[in-house]
Amino acid sequence: MGRHLRLSTQTLLLQFGVVVLALLVGTAAWTSLSRAALQEQYGERALAIADSVAALPTVAEALADGDPGGTLQPLGEAVREAAAMSFVVITDREGRRYSHPDPSRLGERVSTDPGAALDGERVIEVDTGTLGRSVRGKVPIVQDDEIVGMVSVGVLMEHVMDDFLGNVVPAALLFLLPAMALGVVGSLLLGRRFKRLTFGLEPHEIAGLLEQRQAMLHGIREGVVGLDRDGRIVVANDEARRLFPFTGDPSHAPPAEVLPSGPLRELLAGTDRADDVAVIEGGRVLVASRMPVALRDERVGTVVTVRDRTQLETLSRELDSLRDVADALRAQAHEFDNHLHTLAGLIELGRHDEALAMITETAVDHQQLSDSLTDRLHDPMLVALLLTKATVAAERDVVLTVSEDSWVDHEFGDPKPLLTVVGNLIDNAIDAAADPGAHARTVEVSFEVEGERLWIRVADRGPGIDTTATEKVFRRGYSTKAPLGEDRGLGLALVSQVVTRLGGQIDVRGDDGAVFTVRIPIAGLQPSARDVVSP
């Protein structure tokens, strides 16, 4: 039934039970000590009265003579009544009674052991006699340095308990009841405090929210990383652990301890808001957002979400390639229409020789370009890429040439990294050459194999690159074509990522146009090389 009670009620009952138990244990200990102290007080009082009776000269003289006048009984009773004791018993050396509350007991031996008192000791003891259980004090009677008897004065335990219940217990209740009331009030206040801290939620509701949070965090396809106000990672779902290159358990660790230096660590270490920032990490194209979290106008942490856009980016670049091919085919179709109309006019004019010469020249030019590239560059996919890019450049009124001294005598087993590098560099060069501020609308590409490395050089005569920006061009999101934050600045970042992964180098010069020089190990273009994003 307890599981159906509200949290505040459970807290109240638990705290009340603890308070009551503590008070009862404390009260029991206190009353036990008080009872023992009261019993000791009665014992000391009985002993003092016994001392007074034993010190009377008439008592010792009467015992020495055998109390012929019977004076000890009236004396004992008078002392008993005056001191409010239960009994005053005077005995001789043999333990025979000369005074007792019950006259019929006179002359009998005492029922308790008188040995200690008759041996000269003053004792306080609790024992059971003819009148019942009592606390008593026993004192020897001495005459001329000789023990002639003893005095035993006592009070029954029932009178001690009456005194205890009539005086000590009420005092204990006066302490216990207010303390219990304070405990109830404190429990109520604590229950209200718990209710505020848990936003009025019950334990099963809190457990349900935790289960829902875990299921949601680990079920979504976005990486989620939560950081506390000190910048330590407190939440990292399964997708985040897949996308982030954590070097250890990220729980309760600062990003600098579990992430290598790079854009993702910078993203987690930041404090400002960032929306849809492009990040390239480990061959993946990621889109990340950073959102500071505040509660009651106080910042409590940061949430970073990351989406893997590698496949989407791959499809986007494949679509761009298809668009380039479509543009090239459209340009060729347009050029073919022009040639066809010209040929039709020549034939209609009867100038057949000139029409035949035009056909031969067009076919030869195209075939010569294809043959020239195939003879110098033995990789068919690289040749196909260059032919397509040349057609696209021509459509934009840009002349794309491959230097006459270019030579590649390899057919690469895994040309995708090479196509990524060459395709992105040529696209950027064509954009620069087509710019209204270009010095000349030309792009020159050259290839050279030197030992175990392939050299690639792409030069344009566009507006050039500011000398202060030669390092920035390879950063994600940097672009001179559109404002930051738009879908730009990934091409050169991908080039840099691929070249770095293959163990190559890339240089850039920005005077009189832009010149990009890339050196790639040929071994990286074999099937063992890791896949990268295609252009």
Side-chain angles (χ1 to χ4, degrees), residues 399-430:
V399 177
L400 173 65
T401 60
V402 179
S403 64
E404 293 295 333
D405 58 350
S406 294
W407 181 263
V408 177
D409 58 353
H410 288 75
E411 184 173 335
F412 306 108
D414 184 15
K416 287 187 290 183
L418 177 62
L419 300 182
T420 297
V421 173
V422 175
N424 281 289
L425 290 178
I426 292 178
D427 286 342
N428 279 275
I430 292 175

Side-chain angles (χ1 to χ4, degrees), residues 317 320 324 327 389 392-400 422-445 458-465 478-482 487-492 513-514 516:
R317 292 188 174 277
D320 290 341
D324 291 344
D327 291 341
K389 297 298 183 184
V392 172
E395 177 70 9
R396 300 183 64 181
D397 196 23
V398 174
V399 177
L400 173 65
V422 175
N424 281 289
L425 290 178
I426 292 178
D427 286 342
N428 279 275
I430 292 175
D431 289 339
D435 189 273
H439 304 288
R441 305 178 72 86
T442 60
V443 174
E444 183 179 15
V445 184
V458 179
D460 64 72
R461 298 293 305 281
I465 300 175
Y478 180 86
S479 176
T480 60
K481 306 169 190 176
D487 192 14
R488 291 286 191 176
L490 287 177
L492 291 180
F516 290 85

Side-chain angles (χ1 to χ4, degrees), residues 235-318:
V235 174
N237 67 351
D238 296 339
E239 184 68 4
R241 293 172 185 263
R242 183 181 74 87
L243 297 178
F244 282 74
F246 291 122
T247 57
D249 186 4
S251 300
H252 304 288
E257 291 184 4
V258 293
L259 282 175
S261 59
L264 286 180
R265 192 169 86 178
E266 294 175 4
L267 184 72
L268 291 184
T271 56
D272 298 332
R273 174 171 177 169
D275 294 324
D276 296 336
V277 178
V279 178
I280 298 177
E281 181 71 39
R284 293 190 179 97
V285 180
L286 309 177
V287 176
S289 298
R290 181 177 58 237
M291 176 69 70
V293 179
L295 291 177
R296 295 180 287 273
D297 297 328
E298 180 182 358
R299 179 174 176 177
V300 296
T302 306
V303 174
V304 176
T305 58
V306 178
R307 301 187 300 275
D308 190 351
R309 213 177 70 170
T310 304
Q311 294 182 349
L312 180 61
E313 188 66 24
T314 301
L315 295 175
S316 176
R317 292 188 174 277
E318 289 179 354

Side-chain angles (χ1 to χ4, degrees), residues 73-150:
Q73 172 67 5
L75 175 64
E77 286 300 295
V79 173
R80 179 182 69 80
E81 293 178 0
M85 292 287 108
S86 298
F87 59 86
V88 175
V89 177
I90 302 173
T91 71
D92 60 11
R93 178 71 184 174
E94 302 300 326
R96 290 188 294 270
R97 302 186 183 98
Y98 283 85
S99 69
H100 193 275
D102 184 1
S104 65
R105 298 287 187 179
L106 296 177
E108 297 179 358
R109 290 181 57 84
V110 293
S111 58
T112 59
D113 184 14
L118 294 177
D119 289 338
E121 298 181 13
R122 299 170 66 253
V123 296
I124 297 175
E125 62 185 16
V126 177
D127 207 344
T128 303
T130 57
L131 299 177
R133 192 166 183 78
S134 61
V135 55
R136 62 191 68 191
K138 295 180 179 180
V139 175
I141 301 173
V142 181
Q143 184 182 35
D144 298 330
D145 297 329
E146 181 180 351
I147 299 175
V148 296
M150 75 165 188

